[in-house]
């Protein structure tokens, strides 16, 4: 198409300026230069029609285009694009279908931009974006919280009505329901403390535990056999001090076994072995072992402390307190403590370690086996569990072989030797 002559172009420019800008130049009679902007990639003004009567404050509008309509450098081309704006509660977006239909039509809208400094008008082709309004749905967490609070209010209202107008049966049902119901608000307040307690209790479970280790703590840095099981880890000083042995020391050696708090084959044998003038601590340990053996027999039948105190008036209350604390556990009902099989193993281990200490870490098995009422295999297992080695002590007499008089003894050495778990082979 041939370009118009300069004279016609000048006339056209002045007519456009007169019709479009007659009320904006404020009496200026000078001619205005008009430019037509039709360069792809240049930012142009846009027209938008909002159907809503009001636009909320804080609604920011932006122009978006498809990835296929972007040139290198991110500038918007003349291909379709859309406008979007949103606040906290309302979203405004133009219909992209209407915008695409506007492109390619014979008639287009033009926006004129007047520059006072240069006295020029720039005409820019544009399109109209029809913007629709849609509310933003609230977060799911808020709706869930409101639902739970509404449920709690419903149950509270129902309980109040039942307490006010219900019969005795309905009131009991409401009371039973409230006992079973868990308050989520109370749980949320204590969840952090529960996690800390669980973490502290299970902090040592990260590594696999060795089930062959004894129930009594072992001194891993011990250099002598006396340091393997320190006395203070077995019995406290207060418990030993509560045992008065002056009456036993003032009695003849032949009558001392009758003064022990419980009958014991091992204790009767040991009280004569330690001699007429033993140390006070050794005699206190011997009396303490007799107390544990007597309590072991009685608690196996009945764990009620009142009856235990009636049958054992010579045992101090400090000894009973330590016994129930170490070797029993409380039930949920809280009526009376219970001695489990694990506590029985723990009690037997304490007795054997104290017996070994008095016999200088080597002792025969048959006497203590009779006191505890266990067979040969079980007493051997208990000694091995605390790190002892089972050996044979042979003694010959006239007319009998050494094998007939071979007696098993338990020996504790430093370091102790604990049994290892054996894996059974699968049968082919």
């Amino acid at each position: 198409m041939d370009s118009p002559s300069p004279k016609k172009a000048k006339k056209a420019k002045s007519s456009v300026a007169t019709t479009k800008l007659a009320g904006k130049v404020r009496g200026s009679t000078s001619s205005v230069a008009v430019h037509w902007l039709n360069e792809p990639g240049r930012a142009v003004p846009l027209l938008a029609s909002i159907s809503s009567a009001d636009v909320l404050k804080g609604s920011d509008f932006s122009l978006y285009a498809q990835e296929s309509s972007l040139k290198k450098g991110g500038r918007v081309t003349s291909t379709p694009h859309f406008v979007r704006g949103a606040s906290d509660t309302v979203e405004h977006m133009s219909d992209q279908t209407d915008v695409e239909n506007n492109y390619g039509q014979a008639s287009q809208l033009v926006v004129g931009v007047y520059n006072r400094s240069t006295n020029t008008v720039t005409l820019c082709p544009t399109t109209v974006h029809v913007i629709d309004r849609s509310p933003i749905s609230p977060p799911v967490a808020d709706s869930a919280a409101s639902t739970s609070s509404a449920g709690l209010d419903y149950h509270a209202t129902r309980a109040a009505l039942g307490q006010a107008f219900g019969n005795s049966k309905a009131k009991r049902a409401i009371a039973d329901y409230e006992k079973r119901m868990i308050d989520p608000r109370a749980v949320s307040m204590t969840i952090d403390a529960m996690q800390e307690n669980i973490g502290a209790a299970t902090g040592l479970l990260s590594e696999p535990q060795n089930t062959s280790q004894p129930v009594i703590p072992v001194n891993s840095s011990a250099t002598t056999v006396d340091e393997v099981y320190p006395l203070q880890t077995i019995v406290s000083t207060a418990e030993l001090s509560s045992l008065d042995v002056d009456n036993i020391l003032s009695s003849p050696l032949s009558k001392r076994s009758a003064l022990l708090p419980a009958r014991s084959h091992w204790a009767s044998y040991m009280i004569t072995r330690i001699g007429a003038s033993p140390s006070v601590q050794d005699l206190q340990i011997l009396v303490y072992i007799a107390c544990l053996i007597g309590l072991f027999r009685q608690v196996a039948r009945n764990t009620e402390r009142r009856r235990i105190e009636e049958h054992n008036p010579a045992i101090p209350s400090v000894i009973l307190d330590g016994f129930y604390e170490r070797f029993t556990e409380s039930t949920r009902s809280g009526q009376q403590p219970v001695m489990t099989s694990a506590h029985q193993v723990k009690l037997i281990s304490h007795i054997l370690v104290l017996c070994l200490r008095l016999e200088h870490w080597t002792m025969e098995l048959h006497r203590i086996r009779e006191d505890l009422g266990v067979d040969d295999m079980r007493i051997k297992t208990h000694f091995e569990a605390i790190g002892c080695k089972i050996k044979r002590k042979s003694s010959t007499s006239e007319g009998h072989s050494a094998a007939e008089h071979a007696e098993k003894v338990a020996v504790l050495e430093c370091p102790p030797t604990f049994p290892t778990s054996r894996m059974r082979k699968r049968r082919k």
Side-chain angles (χ1 to χ4, degrees):
M1 183 175 180
D2 297 336
S3 59
S5 60
K7 187 175 180 180
K8 292 182 179 180
K10 185 177 181 181
K11 184 177 180 181
K13 292 177 183 178
S14 61
S15 64
V16 171
T18 304
T19 55
K20 299 295 182 180
L21 303 175
K24 295 183 179 181
V25 183
R26 293 185 180 179
S28 175
T29 57
S30 61
S31 60
V32 179
V34 179
H35 298 283
W36 180 268
L37 179 63
N38 194 14
E39 298 179 7
R42 291 289 298 273
V44 296
L46 298 177
L47 298 179
S49 175
I50 301 178
S51 58
S52 177
D54 55 343
V55 179
L56 296 178
K57 294 182 179 180
S59 301
D60 298 330
F61 291 88
S62 302
L63 179 65
Y64 296 90
Q66 297 179 357
E67 294 182 359
S68 59
S69 64
L70 296 177
K71 283 187 175 182
K72 186 176 181 180
R75 294 188 300 174
V76 180
T77 63
S78 60
T79 53
H81 43 268
F82 62 95
V83 178
R84 180 184 179 276
S87 63
D88 296 337
T89 57
V90 180
E91 180 184 28
H92 302 275
M93 181 177 293
S94 61
D95 191 353
Q96 193 172 0
T97 305
D98 295 341
V99 176
E100 293 177 356
N101 294 335
N102 289 334
Y103 281 87
Q105 295 179 357
S107 61
Q108 292 184 355
L109 296 178
V110 177
V111 175
V113 180
Y114 173 65
N115 192 345
R116 292 184 177 182
S117 60
T118 59
N119 198 24
T120 58
V121 174
T122 303
L123 300 179
C124 307
T126 186
T127 55
V128 178
H129 294 261
V130 179
I131 298 178
D132 296 330
R133 175 181 179 180
S134 59
I136 298 176
S137 58
V140 179
D142 296 340
S143 61
S146 61
T147 304
S148 61
S149 61
L152 293 176
D153 295 340
Y154 166 75
H155 290 298
T157 305
R158 182 180 179 183
L161 292 175
Q163 294 291 345
F165 304 103
N167 53 17
S168 59
K169 183 178 180 181
K171 293 179 180 180
R172 287 195 300 268
I174 293 173
D176 294 339
Y177 174 79
E178 291 179 351
K179 291 179 181 178
R180 296 191 303 268
M181 187 175 61
I182 299 175
D183 189 359
R185 292 171 293 185
V187 174
S188 62
M189 295 173 62
T190 59
I191 190 66
D192 296 336
M194 292 172 60
Q195 290 179 351
E196 292 178 0
N197 295 336
I198 293 173
T202 59
L204 301 178
L205 299 181
S206 56
E207 299 180 358
Q209 300 294 315
N210 187 1
T211 56
S212 62
Q213 291 294 327
V215 293
I216 306 177
V218 180
N219 184 12
S220 58
S221 60
T223 57
T224 61
V225 67
D226 293 336
E227 299 175 355
V228 175
Y229 292 105
L231 183 61
Q232 60 270 16
T233 61
I234 308 298
V235 56
S236 64
T237 306
E239 290 174 306
L240 292 179
S241 301
S242 65
L243 297 171
D244 188 8
V245 295
D246 294 337
N247 188 23
I248 298 177
L249 289 174
S250 61
S251 302
L253 185 60
S254 59
K255 297 182 179 180
R256 290 182 179 180
S257 59
L259 300 177
L260 295 175
R263 296 179 59 183
S264 169
H265 296 283
W266 178 88
S268 299
Y269 158 76
M270 199 64 196
I271 202 168
T272 58
R273 181 180 173 181
I274 60 178
S277 300
S279 64
V280 176
Q281 186 181 51
D282 290 347
L283 190 56
Q284 287 176 340
I285 294 175
L286 179 59
V287 175
Y288 180 74
I289 295 173
C291 294
L292 293 183
I293 293 175
L295 292 174
F296 174 74
R297 296 170 182 167
Q298 297 178 12
V299 174
R301 298 188 299 267
N302 188 1
T303 58
E304 188 177 359
R305 179 160 180 172
R306 180 179 59 83
R307 294 192 176 185
I308 296 297
E309 292 177 349
E310 292 177 356
H311 288 84
N312 302 275
I315 299 179
S317 59
V318 179
I319 303 295
L320 291 176
D321 293 340
F323 178 84
Y324 278 97
E325 181 180 356
R326 294 190 189 98
F327 309 116
T328 61
E329 65 180 16
S330 301
T331 58
R332 291 186 177 180
S333 59
Q335 296 179 356
Q336 61 182 11
V338 176
M339 176 181 284
T340 62
S341 58
H343 290 98
Q344 291 181 2
V345 173
K346 184 178 180 180
L347 176 56
I348 293 175
S349 299
H350 277 69
I351 293 174
L352 296 182
V353 170
L354 292 174
C355 293
L356 284 167
R357 174 176 287 274
L358 289 183
E359 294 203 39
H360 304 289
W361 311 108
T362 301
M363 65 177 294
E364 298 176 353
L365 274 62
H366 65 93
R367 294 187 182 88
I368 195 65
R369 181 191 63 211
E370 295 175 0
D371 290 337
L372 299 177
V374 295
D375 54 13
D376 293 340
M377 185 59 66
R378 286 190 61 190
I379 196 64
K380 178 183 175 182
T381 304
H382 286 300
F383 273 109
E384 291 178 345
I386 60 176
C388 293
K389 292 182 179 180
I390 307 301
K391 299 181 180 181
R392 288 187 179 273
K393 179 182 178 182
S394 301
S395 61
T396 59
S397 61
E398 185 179 356
H400 297 279
S401 62
E404 293 176 349
H405 285 271
E407 178 63 36
K408 294 180 181 180
V409 295
V411 180
L412 182 64
E413 299 176 351
C414 183
T417 304
F418 299 102
T420 57
S421 58
R422 299 178 181 177
M423 299 294 293
R424 294 183 178 180
K425 297 182 179 180
R426 295 181 59 184
R427 295 181 180 180
K428 297 181 180 180

